[in-house]
Amino acid sequence: MILLKFPSPNISMLAYNLLSENGIPCQVVPTPRELDSSCGVSLVVEGKYISRVRKAFDGSSLGVEEIEISSDSALRKILEG
Amino acid sequence: MIYLDNAATSFPKPESVLVALNNHLTSMGASAGRGQYQWAVEVSKKVFDVRLKLASLLGADDPLRVIFTYNATCAINMVLKGLLNPNDHVLISSMEHNAVVRPLRGLERTGVELDIIPYEKEGLIRLDLLPDYFKKNTRLLAVVGTSNVSGTIQPLKEIGALAQKHGVFFLVDGAQMAGLCPVEIDNWGIDAFAFTGHKSLYGPQGTGGVILSNKLASILRPLIEGGTGSVSEEEYQPAFLPDKFESGTMNTSGFLALGAGIDFLLEKGASNILEHERKLRDLLISRISGVKGIKIYGPIDSKKTVGILSFLIEDIDSSSVMLMLDRKWGIMVRAGLHCAPLAHKTLGSFPGGTIRCSFGAFNTVDEVETLACALEDISLEV
């Protein structure tokens, strides 16, 4: 699982739209506090989609950061139920 | 009752606008861009969709350049007061609304220079004269895209090309044209297009905004600073859009309803609504042209306008006509100067003003016929 972090909630929404338009499943989640104290939202995608994500974002200046979500993180445990 | 004051605010609103407003207020009342729980995310997505719709409708390639405000006046003030410095020179048209004129008259006291470009009698810019007005220190050219008094539509593409040629920022007051007339912000070199949501976009009052060019956005000072729901750890205002210019909780309910208004507009077709308004304007002109004492201000040819018509009945002041229409016939029109004394000076109707009828998507031929009968009746009474 990859967390995609953006500078603002609006840019996260723009990215969400880009991924939706390209048929890439993603979830909107709170940005984990240990990564960022901005109170924002990030997107989470399955690792298998990352090349498609990069292609979808190609040419846009979204300021995205890709962060691997470790298997023992609280976020991953919540998302995987 | 017959409502013919759509240039002030469109009425009625489409049912879907009421549903969207009600839905937010009763079922999912979270703030856009604030919070990360399901409702907040859902509302944020929907409000972002409104940015996308506006950018697409008005010809801007990036929804992040859509800045939400409470109305067009707020947006215009944001641009004027965030851009201009003492000794900057500004050009405006002689058809401007006080939304542009008053903040600039205020800025004159701080050393900003202001010149007014005279327009011809029907309220159309003299493109041949415009180049003579640019000076070395001209920073901004501001024009109203469509007059709120005569409905006259300006050739924005040509004006934008001249502004670009002279290296001047170009601000358009698009309050009366957004949603009705074709607009291509990026292709026409518009640096700031101010719009309101509650007129031809069929949204509620308290919604509006401005679409900025990246060049202008990068140097514009924000008027309001504060919480943006982003980079909360920082004590300084973020530089990215739209957050740089959007602090504090926005009118989320209003913008969600504005989205429904835009959907209505797209479903009906903006060009169809404009055509409908022009037909009603043409009908009114043909029906009142023979009425004793009628004088029309602005273009007769409705292809040069949106659905706004200004006129007077000779020897009767505009407020008396308005009152008679309202009390006796239940017809609501606007009398006076319409917050645009410069425009009335240009059209030759200052200081008395005019009676203004402005049509919308829901007005009918029967309503115009009733108005024409009423005006004939009033003219005969005098």
Side-chain angles (χ1 to χ4, degrees):
Chain A
M1 267 181 184
I2 309 287
L3 184 98
L4 306 169
K5 188 167 86 65
F6 304 91
S8 78
N10 277 302
I11 298 174
S12 300
M13 291 302 115
L14 176 61
Y16 175 85
N17 271 282
L18 282 173
L19 295 188
S20 298
E21 282 168 15
N22 284 278
I24 302 167
C26 69
Q27 293 186 59
V28 181
V29 300
T31 304
R33 305 292 296 174
E34 68 265 26
L35 295 178
D36 196 303
S37 53
S38 71
C39 312
V41 290
S42 295
L43 305 181
V44 171
V45 295
E46 294 289 342
K48 63 185 177 185
Y49 293 117
I50 198 62
S51 59
R52 286 179 62 192
V53 168
R54 287 172 188 157
K55 199 175 168 190
F57 292 167
D58 191 30
S60 54
S61 49
L62 299 174
V64 60
E65 280 180 56
E66 296 173 14
I67 299 157
E68 177 82 35
I69 305 172
S70 65
S71 55
D72 59 349
S73 71
L75 175 62
R76 185 149 188 162
K77 283 173 186 165
I78 294 165
L79 292 177
E80 289 178 343
Chain B
M1 299 297 281
I2 296 174
Y3 182 79
L4 295 174
D5 196 16
N6 288 275
T9 193
S10 56
F11 181 85
K13 304 299 181 190
E15 183 67 27
S16 55
V17 170
L18 311 188
V19 170
L21 198 58
N22 186 54
N23 189 43
H24 181 250
L25 291 172
T26 58
S27 305
M28 199 185 276
S31 288
R34 306 291 191 275
Q36 303 93 357
Y37 44 89
Q38 292 175 57
W39 283 7
V41 169
E42 193 57 33
V43 162
S44 298
K45 281 180 190 170
K46 287 182 174 175
V47 169
F48 193 82
D49 279 346
V50 181
R51 288 185 209 278
L52 282 167
K53 286 172 190 168
L54 283 163
S56 169
L57 182 72
L58 299 170
D61 71 358
D62 183 357
L64 296 175
R65 292 196 278 123
V66 178
I67 314 299
F68 286 146
T69 63
Y70 300 111
N71 49 49
T73 300
C74 184
I76 289 164
N77 270 265
M78 193 179 97
V79 172
L80 298 177
K81 293 173 182 171
L83 173 69
L84 298 170
N85 299 308
N87 301 316
D88 282 345
H89 175 240
V90 183
L91 285 173
I92 63 170
S93 87
S94 69
M95 289 299 287
E96 293 310 305
H97 189 280
N98 274 344
V100 166
V101 180
R102 285 183 173 173
L104 284 171
R105 289 298 186 200
L107 284 166
E108 269 187 313
R109 292 197 283 265
T110 70
V112 169
E113 295 174 36
L114 174 63
D115 273 319
I116 300 171
I117 313 156
Y119 275 27
E120 53 91 81
K121 195 100 177 170
E122 288 193 342
L124 194 68
I125 192 168
R126 286 278 309 273
L127 278 171
D128 56 326
L129 296 181
L130 181 55
D132 297 339
Y133 282 84
F134 289 105
K135 299 189 343 188
K136 274 188 180 170
N137 60 335
T138 306
R139 194 89 194 280
L140 178 75
L141 168 63
V143 301
V144 63
T146 300
S147 165
N148 69 310
V149 178
S150 62
T152 313
I153 301 168
Q154 302 302 329
L156 295 180
K157 183 180 178 183
E158 289 75 11
I159 301 171
L162 282 169
Q164 278 194 323
K165 186 179 169 188
H166 289 83
V168 167
F169 286 115
F170 183 28
L171 162 66
V172 174
D173 171 359
Q176 297 292 342
M177 73 188 320
L180 204 51
C181 303
V183 176
E184 297 181 36
I185 289 174
D186 291 349
N187 290 337
W188 296 352
I190 298 171
D191 291 293
F193 183 90
F195 62 91
T196 194
H198 68 98
K199 297 182 194 274
S200 298
L201 291 168
Y202 290 91
Q205 296 177 6
T207 60
V210 60
I211 301 184
L212 298 172
S213 66
N214 280 321
K215 186 181 172 192
L216 179 57
S218 67
I219 61 162
L220 202 62
R221 301 178 293 266
L223 283 193
I224 307 289
E225 294 169 295
T228 57
S230 57
V231 288
S232 297
E233 71 281 14
E234 293 287 340
E235 294 179 17
Y236 294 91
Q237 189 74 2
F240 48 77
L241 299 179
D243 303 40
K244 181 179 178 183
F245 302 106
E246 282 185 8
S247 289
T249 301
M250 68 165 63
N251 179 4
T252 305
S253 314
F255 283 107
L256 292 173
L258 173 60
I262 297 169
D263 287 342
F264 162 82
L265 180 77
L266 297 174
E267 196 179 302
K268 283 264 180 189
S271 59
N272 293 332
I273 294 176
L274 179 58
E275 191 61 25
H276 173 68
E277 289 188 13
R278 283 173 170 164
K279 276 184 183 166
L280 296 179
R281 188 180 187 273
D282 281 339
L283 176 64
L284 182 59
I285 290 170
S286 72
R287 291 284 282 105
I288 66 173
S289 291
V291 172
K292 185 184 136 201
I294 286 277
K295 183 176 181 190
I296 292 170
Y297 294 83
I300 296 293
D301 183 357
S302 295
K303 288 192 182 68
K304 295 178 180 174
T305 74
V306 294
I308 294 175
L309 187 70
S310 263
F311 60 88
L312 279 178
I313 302 179
E314 208 172 43
D315 299 329
I316 318 179
D317 79 87
S318 59
S319 58
S320 297
V321 176
M322 187 231 91
L323 192 62
M324 283 189 271
L325 287 171
D326 186 40
R327 297 290 169 87
K328 189 172 172 187
W329 298 79
I331 298 172
M332 293 171 274
V333 297
R334 276 288 282 286
L337 293 173
H338 314 99
C339 300
L342 276 185
H344 281 281
K345 285 175 185 170
T346 302
L347 296 165
S349 48
F350 185 85
T354 57
I355 303 148
R356 182 188 71 183
C357 298
S358 49
F359 305 108
F362 296 100
N363 287 123
T364 65
V365 166
D366 285 349
E367 289 175 334
V368 176
E369 293 285 0
T370 304
L371 171 64
C373 289
L375 290 170
E376 191 163 10
D377 188 67
I378 291 167
S379 74
L380 292 174
E381 274 184 29
V382 179

